[in-house]
Amino acid sequence: MANYKAPIQDMQFVLHDVFKADDLWASMPSTSEVTPDLVSAILEEGARVCENELFPINRQGDEEGCTWKDGEVTTPTGFKEAYATYAESGWLSLGGDPEFGGQGMPKMLTVMFEEMVYAANTSFALYPALTAGACLCLLHHASDELKQTYLPPMYEGRWSGSMCLTEPHCGTDLGIMKTKAVPGDDGTYKISGTKIFITGGEHDLNENIIHLVLAKLPDAPAGPKGISLFVVPKFKVNADGSLGERNLLACGSIEHKMGIKGSATCVMNFDGAEGYLVGEENRGLAAMFTMMNYERLSIGLQGIGLGDVSYQLAREYALERIQSRSPAGKVQPDQVADPIIVHPDVRRMLLTQRAYTEGGRAFAAYVGMWLDMAKGHPDDATRTKAEGLVALLTPVAKAYFTDRGLDATVLGQQVLGGHGYIREWGLEQFVRDARIAQIYEGTNGIQALDLMGRKIAANQGAFFQSFKQEVQAFIDSTPDLAEFNGPLADALARLDDATTAVLNQVKDDPNAIGAASCDYLNLFGLTAYAYMWAMMASAAKAQDSAFHRTKLETARFFMQRLLPESLGYHAKVLAGSETLMATPADAF
Amino acid sequence: MANYKAPIQDMQFVLHDVFKADDLWASMPSTSEVTPDLVSAILEEGARVCENELFPINRQGDEEGCTWKDGEVTTPTGFKEAYATYAESGWLSLGGDPEFGGQGMPKMLTVMFEEMVYAANTSFALYPALTAGACLCLLHHASDELKQTYLPPMYEGRWSGSMCLTEPHCGTDLGIMKTKAVPGDDGTYKISGTKIFITGGEHDLNENIIHLVLAKLPDAPAGPKGISLFVVPKFKVNADGSLGERNLLACGSIEHKMGIKGSATCVMNFDGAEGYLVGEENRGLAAMFTMMNYERLSIGLQGIGLGDVSYQLAREYALERIQSRSPAGKVQPDQVADPIIVHPDVRRMLLTQRAYTEGGRAFAAYVGMWLDMAKGHPDDATRTKAEGLVALLTPVAKAYFTDRGLDATVLGQQVLGGHGYIREWGLEQFVRDARIAQIYEGTNGIQALDLMGRKIAANQGAFFQSFKQEVQAFIDSTPDLAEFNGPLADALARLDDATTAVLNQVKDDPNAIGAASCDYLNLFGLTAYAYMWAMMASAAKAQDSAFHRTKLETARFFMQRLLPESLGYHAKVLAGSETLMATPADAF
């Protein structure tokens, strides 16, 4: 089977040529030490671990899955060893805060590394991803004592993290959760309840697992404003940082799933476990959202990475598989048939995968750039603008990356025909692994509601105006790019019109937001990708190599053969909620 | 878990109210005995076997899969018993020729039954589906002696059929196949070679398996015109019809697949096996196409059936799952939350499933109707027209049913959120089982090439004109249906324009057909569904019940929220092949 190769050249192109990351990094104190050499070293070393350590254990991990016995979870063969290598090489601290042992690399760079890890081995990737998110949440909301205790060993990879939100009766609607936290006399709390779908809730990769658990105090207000956040370690931690006694929690079972079989999805039972409050009482959901927003972008990268590895294997097959003749005449007259890459429809599938993957990669860097600016830009107004754009673009990234990620993996499978359906070829695993990304960390329907409701309607489109101005300024500043800017401007106009339409609809229709949300998000995602492709075309035009020519060709493909879908999404948004709400529930 | 209920009311509506099947059947000698009572009895008895025998063993069949040992294949628990019941009740002979013991039911009716079987248990459904296709091929092309020998026991279900085309190095391009047939002195042939991906090539359901094998004679011309078709039974048949000695063929292994795990996908090794020529030497591919066209419509039904069962389980969940509040105000104030069916986006997913399923069901009946007319209509001109429409519509049905089938099963899974990804809930199995239908019996890309090349370009759009006139005549005859006919007419105009555009493109671009094919097929499918929904709306308007009101509401949903996708497909087709062909193969 073909191997995964991390797309370093494209990542360098996006960082340096498209977004001039070096100038940005040099301009901010928090990133002033990030040099091109350092970036190259990180990408190349990251590629090495992904290609040589993680990808080779991916297929077998799917076959074996995780196993549960008496509360213990065993990960697939090779995961423990790979995790040790990964931790020792410092990858868990890449984006961490230097004050606690992190390397402080900008998000714009870490998204590139994360994408590689998901591409190489999505099941494996989830263990560090959850740990990184938990660290970020502690960093922003926990007391200094908690940070000093937990962050260094988590950055080192000795301890990992989990996120305990969902319960059997509630996922999206956390306000109705039942897990209880009873305060003790010593400032600690006793946590009791059952959490489900807990990624990495139990495993054998390292020595301790730090659960971030949402629970309700006895006197908490009803609903989402009565939820508090607690650190609940698997093993309590002694004053000197060594591991103490086992806490009163256990993994009751693991789920049997469609995919990500090497990732342990756990039922976690807390039975009066000792926990420590993070942030303020009853403010837990806001704190958890720090972690969830981080995870949402991360999970988006799962879609991009899986789309890319699927593309790489499908391309290899299309170049090697000999079948039928080119419609334009024999390409290999000395063979019985031509490689299937001669066929326009095979190219359509591969180019679609490629356009989604590379467009998504650029958009991930773009969101990462605004995240870095929101965190470290010296100018107040820029930070405020960046915060708005991050809020606006995060749900688009999570949902659009993962929806297109499923599409891309399905296309890669299709290129292989019957072989795509056979497990040993690996393409079908990518489809199964990609599918969960549309569901967890808030389903893509929830992302769309977040976009349409909180990020658009709640501020009368103010964040959108900021994005629109960005795109318009690019168009205005590149008059020589009409071939790409024309379609981009058309799509932007459609998105603008759809935004205005929904802002009008909501005035007298409470269902307008939900009715428009999903199609609106797709329209937004397509337009954002068009902006990325126009920017990439602009950067590629300045240079002349096979890589840059292919970039321009893929940009043209995107504009002519994918962007027209925006016509349909626009029309759907304008249709409003009437046909969705007409049918009584019992007539479904 | 919820149960599958066969949608008998909708099937009756489609047959009797939409297509006036009773009038048609009464008008043709071949179907004059098909009465409404008989149709009801078949649908109700069919529903009983699907709901009570096949659906209950579907999930476990997926968990167990088939197992191979020493050339023998064991199907999952319950399959053998269910097959015995199925065969004894005569279901294998439903559409068979009465001269050899078949029941001669019209295709328009058998598509309804087949859909149920796929919905209840796709893995199981494939064994009878392949047998029915093999019977049809024998009926049309084999000698009387072969028909007398093989058809009665196959209709009885004592023997089953398989279709042996694909080899390790060729699937789409059968012209380069290597399997050999050496003629003997006694009129038989010795068949040698390896066939892969053979559905039902070996199993334990009954006593004999009749393989239809494509192979090349020693002096055969190169390419597709040098392929002959042979009957190769697992056990040779004695003169009295009893089983003789084992033939020289064996199942070498079975594939481990993404889904349809209860269906045995076999590597078949023929090692000088005795075979009997079907039809003429070197004309095998044409004969096999009789079977393949039958299977193509059948496989389309797999997409519809799986979309329906996924819808049924998702609807049940949406009515029962309590989570969050309706945006329009509490619906269940005495509960902590409302059922999720209150949310517009959940309704969008369910209505999309429903619109695809019911639109597809009507279109399957429509294609079945033309098949029945092509076979049995007394008027020559009508038969000729029907043959053209069947040729045109079969690739659309196969590909569009199955592409939308995958979409529908993915949506059903999404309605369940995290539970949709867990095996025990069953929704993820439907996705895995649906995925193969886009690949086998000619990938959907091949269907699109067939449509665009052989069915449109090869006759300068003559078949399309026939279809267009049908739709236009309906529009002209229903002036009171503007709400539905307006969008239908717009879509038809787009399809017409796209057809003209491609017919122009092909004049000087050999890649035009392949470049347009897939988007053109989607545009065609959407337009055909719009026609179905307009016809269903017309029939529903005449009556007043919850069923008929829901039908009208779903028709409105289709027109306003799904049909706008035709805008994008139209634009993509017009874009031509340039962006697909620009990139050199080695730059992918």
Side-chain angles (χ1 to χ4, degrees):
Chain A
M1 195 170 70
N3 275 318
Y4 168 69
K5 287 282 169 206
I8 294 180
Q9 185 179 14
D10 197 51
M11 291 173 167
Q12 298 273 24
F13 171 75
V14 167
L15 290 174
H16 305 301
D17 298 335
V18 179
F19 293 114
K20 315 286 182 209
D22 305 304
D23 297 345
L24 174 69
W25 292 335
S27 75
M28 301 194 298
S30 55
T31 53
S32 60
E33 291 173 18
V34 183
T35 63
D37 283 351
L38 180 61
V39 168
S40 293
I42 286 171
L43 292 178
E44 279 160 26
E45 272 305 296
R48 216 189 45 75
V49 71
C50 291
E51 293 166 4
N52 301 341
E53 309 289 334
L54 303 184
F55 186 69
I57 57 173
N58 181 53
R59 272 284 303 126
Q60 187 58 29
D62 182 66
E63 292 295 339
E64 284 182 33
C66 289
T67 49
W68 180 96
K69 194 178 175 201
D70 300 334
E72 305 284 327
V73 170
T74 306
T75 54
T77 304
F79 272 46
K80 192 167 180 169
E81 295 74 13
Y83 184 86
T85 303
Y86 189 96
E88 282 160 18
S89 311
W91 293 112
L92 279 146
S93 66
L94 192 66
D97 191 311
E99 189 183 339
F100 303 96
Q103 298 175 57
M105 286 301 112
K107 190 72 189 170
M108 208 174 172
L109 174 60
T110 62
V111 293
M112 300 293 176
F113 174 65
E114 277 185 89
E115 181 206 311
M116 292 182 199
V117 185
Y118 280 114
N121 193 326
T122 284
S123 285
F124 181 93
L126 291 166
Y127 298 103
L130 269 291
T131 302
C135 288
L136 197 72
C137 180
L138 290 172
L139 189 67
H140 282 268
H141 302 286
S143 67
D144 271 346
E145 187 188 342
L146 287 175
K147 286 194 261 197
Q148 292 291 357
T149 306
Y150 291 99
L151 285 178
M154 291 174 83
Y155 284 156
E156 289 166 31
R158 290 192 288 118
W159 304 352
S160 56
S162 95
M163 203 166 147
C164 300
L165 287 72
T166 302
E167 300 182 8
H169 72 294
C170 72
T172 297
D173 188 5
L174 292 169
I176 60 176
M177 72 170 46
K178 294 177 181 167
T179 296
K180 291 281 172 214
V182 178
D185 298 334
D186 58 352
T188 68
Y189 296 77
K190 300 289 178 215
I191 314 292
S192 299
T194 297
K195 297 286 183 178
I196 65 167
F197 299 160
I198 308 308
T199 301
E202 178 58 49
H203 57 72
D204 58 356
L205 298 179
N206 55 14
E207 62 188 34
N208 203 5
I209 302 174
I210 313 306
H211 304 285
L212 288 177
V213 184
L214 290 180
K216 297 198 130 188
L217 295 167
D219 56 352
K225 290 181 180 166
I227 297 173
S228 303
L229 178 64
F230 301 90
V231 167
V232 188
K234 174 178 169 184
F235 289 99
K236 296 182 196 173
V237 180
N238 297 321
D240 65 355
S242 63
L243 295 190
E245 65 176 339
R246 175 89 194 216
N247 210 343
L248 295 173
L249 62 93
C251 173
S253 62
I254 58 173
E255 305 289 350
H256 300 280
K257 310 184 297 294
M258 183 186 200
I260 53 165
K261 297 191 179 192
S263 169
T265 305
C266 303
V267 174
M268 297 303 300
N269 298 314
F270 297 88
D271 192 18
E274 189 169 297
Y276 320 106
L277 185 69
V278 176
E280 294 173 41
E281 290 188 349
N282 299 328
R283 299 289 301 275
L285 210 51
M288 189 57 104
F289 260 98
T290 301
M291 180 169 181
M292 283 172 64
N293 272 327
Y294 177 92
E295 297 296 343
R296 283 176 177 182
L297 182 54
S298 175
I299 291 306
L301 302 171
Q302 178 181 341
I304 300 173
L306 286 167
D308 190 26
V309 66
S310 174
Y311 169 77
Q312 293 190 25
L313 271 61
R315 170 191 58 193
E316 186 98 353
Y317 185 87
L319 288 168
E320 289 178 0
R321 174 74 169 178
I322 304 294
Q323 198 83 171
S324 303
R325 289 297 185 185
S326 163
K330 293 179 184 180
V331 169
Q332 291 187 166
D334 53 330
Q335 304 276 327
V336 294
D338 293 329
I340 62 171
I341 199 151
V342 301
H343 298 291
D345 194 57
V346 171
R347 290 169 156 257
R348 176 190 62 82
M349 295 192 277
L350 291 171
L351 284 166
T352 303
Q353 289 190 287
R354 185 166 187 144
Y356 287 155
T357 298
E358 296 178 11
R361 181 175 297 135
F363 190 54
Y366 181 73
V367 179
M369 181 181 78
W370 289 114
L371 270 165
D372 290 333
M373 287 203 270
K375 181 178 166 192
H377 201 282
D379 176 51
D380 286 352
T382 303
R383 279 206 311 283
T384 302
K385 174 185 168 179
E387 281 164 10
L389 283 171
V390 166
L392 178 73
L393 301 178
T394 296
V396 179
K398 191 277 185 182
Y400 201 71
F401 290 171
T402 59
D403 282 350
R404 297 298 78 76
L406 182 74
D407 291 348
T409 57
V410 166
L411 286 169
Q413 188 184 22
Q414 194 73 15
V415 169
L416 272 76
H419 297 108
Y421 200 68
I422 306 298
R423 290 176 64 95
E424 67 175 300
W425 288 77
L427 278 290
E428 65 86 36
Q429 182 191 345
F430 303 142
V431 177
R432 290 185 289 103
D433 285 357
R435 184 68 186 88
I436 187 60
Q438 303 172 288
I439 296 174
Y440 60 14
E441 300 304 335
T443 64
N444 286 359
I446 292 297
Q447 306 298 324
L449 279 178
D450 179 46
L451 172 68
M452 193 85 263
R454 290 192 208 122
K455 311 299 172 58
I456 299 282
N459 57 40
Q460 288 295 308
F463 293 166
F464 170 71
Q465 289 303 324
S466 172
F467 176 73
K468 183 181 142 190
Q469 284 157 16
E470 280 287 311
V471 182
Q472 193 60 53
F474 171 81
I475 294 173
D476 296 343
S477 68
T478 51
D480 59 333
L481 219 60
E483 177 188 7
F484 305 99
N485 283 348
L488 169 61
D490 289 346
L492 186 65
R494 272 173 221 128
L495 181 62
D496 194 25
D497 185 59
T499 306
T500 306
V502 178
L503 289 174
N504 279 323
Q505 289 169 5
V506 296
K507 289 176 189 164
D508 48 20
D509 180 4
N511 290 308
I513 288 173
S517 56
C518 204
D519 294 312
Y520 182 86
L521 188 144
N522 276 305
L523 179 59
F524 202 125
L526 262 174
T527 308
Y529 276 32
Y531 178 34
M532 297 301 119
W533 275 111
M535 280 200 283
M536 288 194 280
S538 178
K541 273 185 84 165
Q543 301 174 69
D544 186 36
S545 75
F547 173 86
H548 297 101
R549 281 191 297 276
T550 303
K551 190 62 88 174
L552 281 166
E553 289 154 3
T554 312
R556 288 188 190 103
F557 169 81
F558 178 85
M559 297 296 174
Q560 293 185 33
R561 305 279 313 203
L562 296 179
L563 191 56
E565 291 168 18
S566 60
L567 291 162
Y569 291 125
H570 174 251
K572 292 179 185 193
V573 170
L574 265 54
S577 74
E578 193 180 333
T579 61
L580 295 173
M581 306 312 295
T583 305
D586 60 6
F588 270 81
Chain B
M1 194 171 72
N3 275 318
Y4 168 69
K5 287 283 169 206
I8 295 180
Q9 185 178 14
D10 197 51
M11 291 172 167
Q12 298 272 23
F13 171 76
V14 167
L15 290 174
H16 304 303
D17 298 336
V18 179
F19 292 114
K20 315 287 183 208
D22 306 304
D23 297 346
L24 174 68
W25 293 335
S27 76
M28 300 194 298
S30 55
T31 53
S32 60
E33 289 173 18
V34 184
T35 63
D37 283 352
L38 179 61
V39 168
S40 294
I42 287 171
L43 291 177
E44 279 159 26
E45 272 306 295
R48 215 188 46 75
V49 72
C50 291
E51 293 166 4
N52 302 340
E53 309 289 335
L54 303 184
F55 186 69
I57 58 172
N58 181 54
R59 272 285 302 125
Q60 186 58 30
D62 182 65
E63 292 294 340
E64 284 182 34
C66 288
T67 48
W68 180 97
K69 193 179 174 201
D70 300 334
E72 305 285 326
V73 171
T74 306
T75 54
T77 303
F79 271 47
K80 193 167 181 171
E81 295 74 11
Y83 184 86
T85 303
Y86 189 96
E88 282 159 19
S89 310
W91 293 112
L92 279 145
S93 66
L94 193 65
D97 191 310
E99 189 183 338
F100 303 96
Q103 298 174 58
M105 288 300 112
K107 190 72 191 171
M108 209 173 171
L109 174 60
T110 61
V111 293
M112 299 293 177
F113 174 66
E114 277 185 89
E115 181 205 311
M116 292 182 198
V117 184
Y118 280 114
N121 195 323
T122 284
S123 286
F124 181 93
L126 291 167
Y127 298 103
L130 268 291
T131 303
C135 287
L136 198 71
C137 181
L138 290 172
L139 189 67
H140 282 268
H141 302 285
S143 67
D144 271 348
E145 188 188 340
L146 288 174
K147 286 194 260 197
Q148 292 291 357
T149 305
Y150 291 99
L151 286 178
M154 291 175 82
Y155 285 156
E156 289 166 32
R158 289 192 289 119
W159 303 352
S160 57
S162 95
M163 202 166 145
C164 300
L165 287 71
T166 302
E167 300 182 8
H169 71 294
C170 73
T172 297
D173 188 4
L174 292 169
I176 59 175
M177 71 170 46
K178 294 178 180 167
T179 297
K180 291 279 171 214
V182 179
D185 299 333
D186 58 352
T188 68
Y189 296 76
K190 299 290 178 212
I191 314 292
S192 300
T194 297
K195 296 287 183 177
I196 64 167
F197 299 161
I198 308 309
T199 301
E202 179 57 50
H203 58 72
D204 58 356
L205 298 179
N206 55 14
E207 62 189 32
N208 203 5
I209 301 174
I210 313 306
H211 305 284
L212 288 177
V213 184
L214 290 180
K216 296 199 132 188
L217 295 168
D219 56 351
K225 291 182 178 165
I227 297 173
S228 303
L229 179 64
F230 301 89
V231 168
V232 187
K234 175 178 170 185
F235 289 99
K236 295 182 196 173
V237 180
N238 298 321
D240 64 355
S242 63
L243 296 189
E245 65 176 339
R246 175 89 194 216
N247 209 342
L248 295 173
L249 62 95
C251 173
S253 62
I254 59 174
E255 305 289 349
H256 300 280
K257 311 184 296 293
M258 181 185 200
I260 54 163
K261 298 192 179 191
S263 169
T265 305
C266 303
V267 174
M268 298 302 299
N269 298 315
F270 297 87
D271 192 17
E274 190 169 298
Y276 320 106
L277 184 69
V278 177
E280 293 174 42
E281 290 187 347
N282 299 328
R283 299 290 301 275
L285 210 51
M288 188 58 104
F289 260 99
T290 301
M291 181 169 179
M292 283 173 64
N293 272 326
Y294 177 94
E295 297 297 343
R296 284 176 177 183
L297 181 55
S298 175
I299 290 307
L301 301 171
Q302 177 180 343
I304 300 173
L306 285 167
D308 190 26
V309 67
S310 174
Y311 168 76
Q312 293 189 26
L313 271 62
R315 169 191 59 194
E316 187 98 352
Y317 184 88
L319 288 167
E320 289 178 0
R321 174 74 170 180
I322 304 295
Q323 198 83 171
S324 303
R325 289 296 186 186
S326 163
K330 293 180 184 178
V331 169
Q332 291 188 164
D334 54 330
Q335 304 275 328
V336 294
D338 293 329
I340 63 171
I341 199 150
V342 301
H343 297 291
D345 194 56
V346 172
R347 288 168 159 259
R348 176 190 62 81
M349 294 191 276
L350 291 171
L351 285 166
T352 303
Q353 290 190 286
R354 186 166 186 145
Y356 287 155
T357 299
E358 296 179 11
R361 182 176 297 136
F363 191 54
Y366 181 74
V367 179
M369 181 180 79
W370 289 114
L371 271 165
D372 291 333
M373 287 203 273
K375 181 179 166 191
H377 201 282
D379 175 51
D380 286 351
T382 304
R383 280 205 313 282
T384 302
K385 174 185 168 179
E387 281 164 9
L389 283 170
V390 166
L392 178 73
L393 301 177
T394 295
V396 179
K398 192 278 183 180
Y400 201 71
F401 291 171
T402 59
D403 282 349
R404 298 297 78 77
L406 181 74
D407 291 347
T409 57
V410 166
L411 286 169
Q413 187 183 22
Q414 194 73 14
V415 169
L416 271 76
H419 297 108
Y421 201 68
I422 306 297
R423 291 177 65 94
E424 67 176 301
W425 288 77
L427 277 290
E428 64 86 36
Q429 183 192 344
F430 302 142
V431 177
R432 290 185 290 103
D433 285 358
R435 184 68 187 88
I436 187 60
Q438 303 172 288
I439 297 173
Y440 60 14
E441 301 304 336
T443 65
N444 287 359
I446 292 297
Q447 305 299 323
L449 279 178
D450 178 46
L451 172 68
M452 193 84 261
R454 289 192 210 123
K455 311 300 173 57
I456 299 281
N459 57 40
Q460 288 294 310
F463 294 166
F464 170 71
Q465 289 302 326
S466 172
F467 176 73
K468 183 181 143 191
Q469 284 157 16
E470 280 288 308
V471 182
Q472 194 59 54
F474 171 81
I475 293 173
D476 295 343
S477 68
T478 51
D480 59 332
L481 219 61
E483 175 187 8
F484 306 100
N485 283 348
L488 169 61
D490 289 346
L492 186 65
R494 272 174 221 128
L495 180 61
D496 195 24
D497 184 58
T499 307
T500 306
V502 178
L503 290 174
N504 279 324
Q505 288 169 5
V506 296
K507 288 176 191 164
D508 48 21
D509 180 3
N511 290 308
I513 288 172
S517 56
C518 204
D519 294 312
Y520 182 86
L521 188 144
N522 276 304
L523 179 59
F524 203 125
L526 262 174
T527 308
Y529 276 31
Y531 178 34
M532 297 300 118
W533 275 110
M535 281 200 282
M536 288 194 279
S538 178
K541 274 185 84 166
Q543 302 175 69
D544 186 35
S545 75
F547 173 86
H548 297 101
R549 281 191 296 275
T550 303
K551 190 61 88 174
L552 281 166
E553 289 153 5
T554 311
R556 287 188 191 102
F557 169 81
F558 178 86
M559 297 296 174
Q560 293 185 33
R561 305 278 314 202
L562 297 179
L563 191 57
E565 291 167 19
S566 60
L567 291 161
Y569 292 125
H570 174 250
K572 291 178 185 193
V573 170
L574 265 54
S577 75
E578 193 180 334
T579 61
L580 295 174
M581 306 312 296
T583 305
D586 60 6
F588 270 81

